[in-house]
Amino acid sequence: MSSLRTDDDTWDITTSVGTTAVMVAAARAGETERDNPLIQDPYARVLVDAAGSGVWSAMLDGDFTEKVGEVDAEAAAIFAHMGGYQAVRTHFFDRFFAEASAAGIRQVVILASGLDSRAYRLDWPAGTTVYEIDQPKVLEFKAQTLAGHGAEPSATRREVPIDLRFDWPAALREVGFDEAQPTAWLAEGLLMYLPADAQDRLFEQVTALSAAGSRIAAETAGVSSEDRREEMRARFERIAEKFGMEESLQIQELIYEDPDRADVAEWLDGHGWSATPVDSQQEMRRLGRWALPAELSDDEAFSHFVTAERAG
């Protein structure tokens, strides 16, 4: 279980789970600015800069990984790998939406959207509506920041400012969601922050709202041993101390390591969907972004990218 989470916790963009959204945006910014990037996100750096300084700042320092390597070569490989993973994950789910759009789906829901900028940066077909669900302060920060830089959504964008632990289906309907129309759903960077029962409940709610032909994409939660988590915690604390980081965010402390968590593809297959899991390790290797030495590879610790279609 997570040691920093409670059933009624909340956050803005620079605290708790909200901070991870800034870190992910920083990874997208770093990828966008490198040679031959897998993705293009012109809004990522704008959002990160507006969040101020924090642990994410290191991700925008082009020399940071090299500096870490002088202290801990394995930690440097892990940092490089984390950036590569975020790029591959974003690339995979961008393609998911492109394929859903090509299939005629014009209704999109991004669960726990954070600083996701797809409503602005993807080339949506005319008539597409993108619903973004997240904490009110997170959505407010993103909308105000991007509006202040003259950014406009490339689809109709509708905010659903509510915690997923509350009655978000009702809030979604209130802003125009039509459950009679097929929907493309995304649960990216979300499931690891939910306990097992909440994950099941989320997919039950999504299924109840999904017309025939709907699609869903999800990133599963990897499982690390306690020994491995403790090793990583100690390693990042040493790096934080060495480089004078004021705050070392321990992402593992925000995650629910729940042994009863359902296998996402199996759950979907058993509830009216046809699911296909893709091993994130294989996808990273396919796209040339694998950075870990063999001794640091742990199959269970890596996620899968699952896509599924709702049967008629």
Side-chain angles (χ1 to χ4, degrees), residues 9 11 16 28 33-34 73 76 86 110 135 152 169 192 244 268 275 279 297 299:
D9 58 339
W11 51 86
S16 186
R28 294 200 307 270
E33 294 165 10
R34 67 178 286 170
Q86 295 295 338
I110 302 177
Q135 298 268 351
E152 296 184 359
M192 64 283 292
L268 291 170
D279 188 328
S297 298
D299 288 346

Side-chain angles (χ1 to χ4, degrees), residues 151-266:
E152 296 184 359
S154 52
T156 298
R157 177 178 176 268
R158 293 181 180 168
E159 295 184 353
V160 189
I162 190 171
D163 191 300
L164 287 170
R165 290 168 290 194
F166 303 139
D167 190 4
W168 64 266
L172 184 62
R173 294 188 191 99
E174 287 177 2
V175 294
F177 177 82
D178 183 0
E179 57 194 285
Q181 299 299 317
T183 304
W185 302 85
L186 178 62
E188 177 186 28
L190 167 60
L191 300 184
M192 64 283 292
Y193 303 115
L194 302 178
D197 59 343
Q199 175 179 301
D200 289 349
R201 184 166 59 253
L202 179 73
F203 284 126
E204 288 167 1
Q205 292 168 312
V206 167
T207 299
L209 292 168
S210 295
S214 291
R215 300 186 181 194
I216 187 169
E219 174 194 17
T220 69
V223 179
S224 299
S225 68
E226 179 57 37
D227 288 346
R228 178 62 171 165
R229 292 197 299 274
E230 182 56 39
E231 175 192 344
M232 295 296 291
R233 185 182 301 115
R235 172 168 268 158
F236 287 131
E237 285 177 354
R238 290 195 300 271
I239 295 298
E241 181 178 0
K242 173 69 177 178
F243 293 98
M245 295 180 182
E246 295 181 358
E247 177 185 2
S248 177
L249 178 68
Q250 298 291 352
I251 295 177
Q252 288 294 334
E253 298 301 321
L254 300 173
I255 292 173
Y256 286 93
E257 296 278 356
D258 199 325
D260 298 323
R261 189 183 300 278
D263 179 281
V264 173
E266 291 179 1

Side-chain angles (χ1 to χ4, degrees), residues 63-81:
D63 298 325
F64 183 71
T65 300
E66 183 178 343
K67 295 173 184 175
V68 171
E70 296 172 357
V71 179
D72 185 334
E74 287 191 350
I78 292 169
F79 276 112
H81 194 81

Side-chain angles (χ1 to χ4, degrees), residues 74-111:
E74 287 191 350
I78 292 169
F79 276 112
H81 194 81
M82 289 167 59
Y85 174 82
Q86 295 295 338
V88 168
R89 183 180 79 172
T90 302
H91 178 271
F92 184 92
F93 292 128
D94 282 359
R95 189 176 69 225
F96 163 77
F97 279 129
E99 292 173 353
S101 294
I105 294 176
R106 298 293 181 265
Q107 187 166 248
V108 171
V109 179
I110 302 177
L111 301 161

